Amino acid sequence: ECALNGGALPTMRKNGARIARNGRVKRTHSIPITSRVLCTFSSNDGDASNPNDDVKERDDVKERDKSKGQSMEADEVAREQPTSPKNWEKVYNSIRAMREHGEEAPVDLMGCERLAEPGVAAATMRYQSLTALMLSSQTSDPITAQAMKNLQVNLEGGLTVESVRTASAATLEKLIYPAGFYRRKAQYLKQTAEILSQRYDGDIPANVTEMCKLPGVGPKMAYLCMQTAWGRSVGIGVDVHVHRISNRLGWVNVWRTQL
């Protein structure tokens, strides 16, 4: 808004806008104008009579906008604070009691945390845990377990970073078949083994960020691997089953993945 005292109107720029001689404001680029600009011109020569007042007004508006933004962010954080579902402990304990007296599921016997060979070196155990998780995508537990056994028994030197790195892709494909996307997974295994050999001295990354940089490894695998391989719980691996069951129990009400 401009308070005009008569006289010719010069062209000025304020916060990414051009104030033309006819008094109309024209945008000159995409930065939004978020504050009011008070312009006072003299009636004689068109020069600004008090530019310091204009600067002070602009700074005051910026400060108010900043304070308002911080208040809105604080309110948003407060609204997003998680709350525990009602009766979640009762439901959880009931499920545990049911599982204790029910039949064992394949994941109880062949989950990825159970597929590393006992007695191997710590780094090898961690690598085998990661390999099991990489094979498990779009693959049932029994098939994942069989693929792991094939690799452990048939690769020269057992299932290690070096044995996978030196094996041919065709050999890996044959050993992990019929795991889902077995051809692609064979490539991922070879690429990952090369990276681990060169950058991690044959071990696996010790954090989620670095682990997710490996071919074929996503957040779910990384969180599970941190727990099974490194013994650290840094997040929850959520797949379609966790998502579906959590909704059916009434613990959440989200039927589309929130990214």
Side-chain angles (χ1 to χ4, degrees):
E1 296 179 3
C2 297
L4 307 178
N5 296 325
L9 300 180
T11 299
M12 299 183 63
R13 294 181 182 275
K14 293 293 181 181
N15 293 341
R18 182 164 62 85
I19 303 176
R21 294 181 184 277
N22 60 4
R24 294 181 179 178
V25 178
K26 295 183 178 181
R27 299 289 290 275
T28 58
H29 52 73
S30 61
I31 298 176
I33 303 174
T34 59
S35 61
R36 300 169 61 200
V37 181
L38 301 179
C39 309
T40 304
F41 301 100
S42 70
S43 60
N44 297 323
D45 55 11
D47 293 331
S49 63
N50 194 347
N52 291 332
D53 289 344
D54 180 53
V55 173
K56 184 176 184 302
E57 175 70 17
R58 183 176 58 193
D59 292 342
D60 290 343
V61 171
K62 286 183 178 179
E63 187 63 30
R64 289 198 300 269
D65 288 348
K66 181 179 179 182
S67 299
K68 182 179 179 181
Q70 291 175 343
S71 177
M72 292 175 64
E73 290 178 1
D75 292 343
E76 187 68 22
V77 170
R79 286 195 298 269
E80 291 181 356
Q81 289 297 320
T83 58
S84 299
K86 294 181 179 179
N87 300 324
W88 75 268
E89 288 182 287
K90 180 179 180 180
V91 174
Y92 178 73
N93 290 330
S94 297
I95 293 174
R96 291 195 62 178
M98 177 188 69
R99 295 282 285 115
E100 288 176 0
H101 301 289
E103 295 182 2
E104 290 182 320
V107 70
D108 297 323
L109 304 174
M110 294 172 277
C112 292
E113 79 281 1
R114 298 177 179 269
L115 298 182
E117 294 176 287
V120 297
T124 301
M125 181 277 294
R126 289 190 286 268
Y127 173 65
Q128 291 192 6
S129 295
L130 175 62
T131 302
L133 285 163
M134 293 176 68
L135 293 174
S136 69
S137 176
Q138 301 295 311
T139 306
S140 66
D141 293 321
I143 291 178
T144 300
Q146 185 59 55
M148 283 292 294
K149 180 60 67 176
N150 292 342
L151 293 170
Q152 292 163 347
V153 171
N154 294 289
L155 286 177
E156 185 175 355
L159 177 53
T160 66
V161 170
E162 187 63 20
S163 67
V164 172
R165 189 184 70 85
T166 57
S168 67
T171 297
L172 295 177
E173 290 176 9
K174 181 179 179 181
L175 293 176
I176 66 175
Y177 178 84
F181 304 102
Y182 67 95
R183 291 191 178 91
R184 185 179 302 173
K185 288 178 180 178
Q187 294 296 327
Y188 287 159
L189 289 175
K190 281 193 65 64
Q191 294 168 8
T192 295
E194 192 69 37
I195 294 172
L196 298 182
S197 178
Q198 293 181 2
R199 302 181 188 176
Y200 298 96
D201 195 26
D203 209 335
I204 68 173
N207 61 74
V208 169
T209 301
E210 293 298 316
M211 209 174 293
C212 284
K213 295 179 182 179
L214 299 174
V217 178
K220 174 197 168 183
M221 294 183 194
Y223 287 132
L224 293 174
C225 195
M226 287 298 298
Q227 185 175 20
T228 60
W230 291 105
R232 293 166 51 197
S233 296
V234 297
I236 300 174
V238 176
D239 60 9
V240 64
H241 306 294
V242 174
H243 187 261
R244 178 174 57 86
I245 293 172
S246 297
N247 275 280
R248 292 186 66 180
L249 292 174
W251 290 354
V252 297
N253 186 23
V254 182
W255 292 99
R256 290 181 180 272
T257 304
Q258 302 297 313
L259 300 179

